[in-house]
Amino acid sequence: MAYSGRFTPGDRVQLTDAKRRHFTITLQEGESFFTHKGEIKHDDIIGEHEGTVVKSSGAGEYLCFRHLLVDHVLSMPRGAAVIYPKDAAQILVEGDIFPGATVLEAGAGSGAMSMWLLRAVGEKGKLISYEIRQDHLEYAEKNVSEHMGGHPENWDLRLGDLKEATKEDIGEVDRVLLDMLEPWEMLDTVKDVLLPGGVFMTYVATVPQLMKVMEGIRETKAFTEPKAWESLVREWKVDGLATRPEHRMNAHTAFLIWARRLADGTVAPRPQRRARR
């Protein structure tokens, strides 16, 4: 699928009607899409610019744009819950995922975060993704391959338990991201494979998980003092004097935990609180 330019066969196009309902089609010459307002011919879209309007046979009007990655993530089939865009953005920035990086991910889930990581590391980078469940691995494989036009050559998708993996299996990596039920059980593996200075991030949903991961990181004495946070996103309705926050918001989805790998043998200074005046 092209990322810009005029629409071509094979592009995934999101059609939006006047009520902001979305319909996704993959353009094919000679094909049609049928709505409650009649037929939309693919040939009426192919060759047109993005941001144009196509009319159905029943006089319905639909705005046409290519499917963005965020659209694909939110609409694709899921075996496991996905990391939502607001958290994926935090991971990419706070984790400093750079072009050419080697990243270890576990678990792959439905492949949402895998796609963001693959885009960030680029063709010269590498992503190693572990998934313990066969059905989840199949969802990840299908979703990533569908969006990226096949299985990326720099994506090493593995069925297995990261806890049983060794440094010989993985090698050294620049970044580690864990999204699993019991990430504290993987800390020894993370310590072995993450390069000094490398960033380690964990994504957990509950307070007990948060507490166990934070204490586990501290007990290894191989990382900087971990920090944790959550991101909340609230949209606003802007309509003259009716401007106000939307009633619904993307509140808690998960906690993000961040730490960096110390060099072997290094003892970090103990965190100290500021003296009270």
Side-chain angles (χ1 to χ4, degrees), residues 2 22 67 138 146 163 222:
H22 301 309
H67 227 202
E138 291 172 359
E146 180 180 323
K163 186 169 60 174

Side-chain angles (χ1 to χ4, degrees), residues 246-268:
E246 290 284 4
H247 295 305
R248 296 182 178 181
M249 68 177 292
N250 294 321
H252 176 77
T253 48
F255 298 104
L256 292 168
I257 303 166
W258 180 100
R260 297 189 70 176
R261 178 72 161 89
L262 298 171
D264 289 338
T266 298
V267 178

Side-chain angles (χ1 to χ4, degrees), residues 100-104 118 121-128 153-156 158 170:
T102 298
V103 179
L104 171 64
L118 285 164
V121 302
E123 294 181 356
K124 294 183 179 180
K126 182 179 181 180
L127 175 62
I128 304 169
E153 293 183 359
N154 60 340
W155 187 32
D156 185 356
R158 305 179 182 183
I170 299 170

